[in-house]
Amino acid sequence: MTLQDAKLQVSGLNSFYGPAHILFDVGLEVGAGEVVALLGRNGAGKSTTFRSIVGLVNQRRGQIVFEGHDVSDKPTHAIVRGGLGYVPEERRIFTDLTVEENLEVGRQPERRNAPRWTPEKLFSLFPNLGEMRGRPGGRMSGGEQQMLTIARTLMGNPSLILLDEPSEGLSPKIVEQMASAILTMKQEGVSILVSEQNLHFARLISDRAYIIERGRICFSGSMAELDARPDIRDAYLAV
């Protein structure tokens, strides 16, 4: 994948929390219209990778190129305003605001190279939210809050979105709805990097996968290539 083809290109990423070295020369790419999974166990470095990409880890070095622009030294707000959406593992909704009010908080102008999202379009993507548009966020289930967090991020009209553990703690029915929504986002033209422990969920949505273990990328390939390597799956993904 050339720099021109890549929506996101990360190379030589090293990150630190104080004296602790967490990421070691992490490199990954996401192409236009791709869904790419970053797989790994708890504590492998998935969330730190995402936080580093969006500038939330202060001590980091390496190169992060988004849509052809080097954003390695840019602050988080500038990266997000440039069209990179981030949905953290913690569902950071405004519990006192209604669903519609939460969506309005995320509204940003249209972007030239990204699909435009409106509340009605998002209620079509997440029908559960459409049925509770006037409900406060604090009176929603965990799965509904996860949908709202993603929908609010989409109101920023990102061209690429980072989803950190979107299936964690969700019921099987909601997991299937989440997979369907992610595939629809892809069809709409959103590129997606998703971190996951759930290999079944990753298979449903992903074109390619990376595996991270102890802060190092130890596998890169298609989902078919990963399925053909039970030794890799057992070594790095089995509980």
Side-chain angles (χ1 to χ4, degrees), residues 1-200:
M1 190 183 301
T2 68
L3 197 61
Q4 289 74 26
D5 296 329
K7 273 283 182 183
L8 177 71
Q9 194 166 61
V10 177
S11 55
L13 181 60
N14 288 266
S15 295
F16 305 79
Y17 291 134
H21 194 168
I22 307 298
L23 300 183
F24 300 83
D25 294 321
V26 166
L28 55 83
E29 295 177 338
V30 182
E34 267 197 314
V35 179
V36 177
L38 180 63
L39 302 169
R41 298 185 179 104
N42 259 337
K46 302 186 301 297
S47 293
T48 300
T49 299
F50 279 21
R51 288 172 55 82
S52 298
I53 290 170
V54 295
L56 291 172
V57 175
N58 293 327
Q59 292 177 268
R60 76 187 196 282
R61 61 175 184 261
Q63 188 176 49
I64 300 161
V65 177
F66 173 56
E67 293 194 325
H69 302 286
D70 191 330
V71 298
S72 309
D73 297 321
K74 289 189 178 295
T76 300
H77 69 270
I79 296 172
V80 171
R81 283 179 185 166
L84 199 161
Y86 171 51
V87 179
E89 187 177 353
E90 315 85 25
R91 296 161 189 143
R92 295 178 185 166
I93 61 164
F94 295 98
T95 55
D96 293 336
L97 300 183
T98 67
V99 168
E100 287 186 320
E101 289 167 342
N102 266 280
L103 294 182
E104 285 303 316
V105 169
R107 186 185 290 274
Q108 288 190 46
E110 293 182 48
R111 301 181 195 281
R112 184 169 54 87
N113 295 321
R116 176 176 177 265
W117 297 90
T118 63
E120 289 306 318
K121 189 174 175 181
L122 290 166
F123 292 149
S124 175
L125 181 67
F126 296 114
N128 301 44
L129 299 183
E131 296 170 2
M132 55 184 68
R133 56 188 74 192
R135 182 177 300 180
R139 291 177 47 213
M140 302 168 68
S141 71
E144 292 158 353
Q145 289 182 353
Q146 181 71 296
M147 292 175 182
L148 179 56
T149 307
I150 295 172
R152 185 182 64 192
T153 302
L154 289 174
M155 281 293 289
N157 301 315
S159 62
L160 183 143
I161 190 168
L162 309 181
L163 298 178
D164 197 357
E165 301 271 14
S167 75
E168 186 177 28
L170 304 185
S171 69
K173 180 180 179 182
I174 298 293
V175 166
E176 288 196 8
Q177 292 176 5
M178 188 68 70
S180 175
I182 289 171
L183 291 174
T184 300
M185 289 158 56
K186 175 186 176 180
Q187 291 168 1
E188 289 284 339
V190 181
S191 303
I192 300 164
L193 179 61
V194 56
S195 81
E196 266 299 332
Q197 296 182 65
N198 185 334
L199 183 56
H200 169 70

